[in-house]
Amino acid sequence: VPDLSDRRLVPELMDTEPAPYEDFRTCLRHLAAANRASLAYRPTLAFLGRLTGRHPPRDGLRILDAGSGYGDMLRRIAAWGAGRGIALDLVGLDLNPWSARAAAEATPPGVPVRWVAADAFDPPADLFGGRPPDVVLSALFAHHLDDAGVVRFLRTMEGTARLGWFVNDLHRARVPHAALRAVFGVLPVHRFVRHDGPVSVARAFRPADWRRYLDEAGVADARVLRAFPYRLCVERIR
Ligand SMILES: C[S@@+](CC[C@H](N)C(=O)[O-])C[C@H]1O[C@@H](n2cnc3c(N)ncnc32)[C@H](O)[C@@H]1O
């Protein structure tokens, strides 16, 4: 295991190596399977529970997922909303047009979600008919950014999300690094996932990183929280 005292910004193959569409889609499917196996949706759903507890969504909820990948988080959120009778307007934004295409293919008709290929830092103005999102979410997106990018992302969310925002990412620690290297080393996962899994942990965060970013972004009243296993999340509810 490398020295993880600071973030190690080793490039991820997912961001750097061009792949044909079907190949990239396999990578996203394997990432979604890893999300399911690692209980990745739970912290975000718990956040939505807290947010809707404080702000009961009488007129529904507009939610933006930055770096939405295969779209499994938003499909899970659609089921969460349907189960609670909450009208949702969901947008998954991803820089890679193949993410948007794969997410659209994987989404059954009737799910209230649109998939948009765009930069999370430069989204189309009319995503929600010119209205701001109520909530901005991301999962496994922040660690793709360098430190300045994370601060910029915090400012962007703080400036756009009407009710709150939530970052769901990884905790930079030896155990998950070694575990992902071991597990993805033996499972028949896509080569991007095998490489990018431990690299993502090394690129990820510790609580002190988030406190520094929040300070720099001028965001008060945000909470850094851990979620099992080895997720590190940041929550802001207005
Ligand atoms: C590791 S994947 C995470 C996908 C999904 N959120 C999940 O939890 O499985 C990171 C995603 O962020 C996207 N991404 C990277 N930079 C981006 C940017 N500036 N704007 C929007 N999406 C971006 C990548 O294309 C990729 O699909």
Side-chain angles (χ1 to χ4, degrees):
V1 175
D3 176 13
L4 297 177
S5 35
D6 292 313
R7 296 185 69 198
R8 296 171 67 88
L9 297 184
V10 176
E12 296 196 43
L13 294 182
M14 193 183 193
D15 291 334
T16 52
E17 195 176 296
Y21 171 67
E22 282 77 13
D23 191 31
F24 189 75
R25 185 181 59 189
T26 302
C27 161
L28 291 178
R29 284 179 175 164
H30 290 179
L31 182 56
N35 284 339
R36 283 193 298 279
S38 64
L39 312 174
Y41 313 122
R42 284 212 304 204
T44 300
L45 294 172
F47 158 77
L48 288 174
R50 289 188 288 276
L51 181 124
T52 52
R54 189 179 302 180
H55 301 283
R58 294 188 186 84
D59 301 321
L61 216 49
R62 297 183 295 278
I63 300 179
L64 176 65
D65 183 11
S68 46
Y70 197 50
D72 42 313
M73 176 68 83
L74 282 183
R75 284 188 292 278
R76 185 66 193 78
I77 289 171
W80 171 90
R84 283 160 185 76
I86 300 173
L88 294 176
D89 185 2
L90 307 174
V91 172
L93 201 66
D94 201 289
L95 191 57
N96 190 328
W98 285 347
S99 292
R101 181 173 158 193
E105 275 179 21
T107 304
V111 177
V113 60
R114 284 163 286 132
W115 305 107
V116 177
D119 190 336
F121 291 103
D122 188 20
D126 60 348
L127 276 182
F128 294 98
R131 303 167 78 194
D134 295 311
V135 177
V136 178
L137 303 174
S138 69
L140 304 185
F141 166 68
H143 73 252
H144 285 255
L145 308 171
D146 61 16
D147 291 354
V150 177
V151 172
R152 191 171 161 220
F153 184 50
L154 288 175
R155 289 199 179 113
T156 304
M157 290 190 294
E158 185 66 11
T160 43
R162 203 175 65 83
L163 301 178
W165 49 259
F166 191 72
V167 173
N168 179 337
D169 214 285
L170 301 169
H171 194 160
R172 191 175 73 250
R174 295 170 68 87
V175 169
H177 188 280
L180 288 189
R181 198 160 61 177
V183 171
F184 290 158
V186 296
L187 285 181
V189 291
H190 191 277
R191 68 187 189 287
F192 288 4
V193 174
R194 181 168 299 128
H195 174 271
D196 292 352
V199 165
S200 297
V201 174
R203 296 183 62 102
F205 311 100
R206 290 185 173 165
D209 298 314
W210 281 114
R211 285 192 280 273
R212 203 176 59 248
Y213 299 142
L214 288 164
D215 223 38
E216 219 178 303
V219 176
D221 296 331
R223 200 159 72 98
V224 180
L225 49 133
R226 293 159 201 255
F228 176 82
Y230 290 101
R231 291 262 163 171
L232 190 62
C233 304
V234 190
E235 163 175 310
R236 166 91 159 109
I237 300 178
R238 293 193 203 276

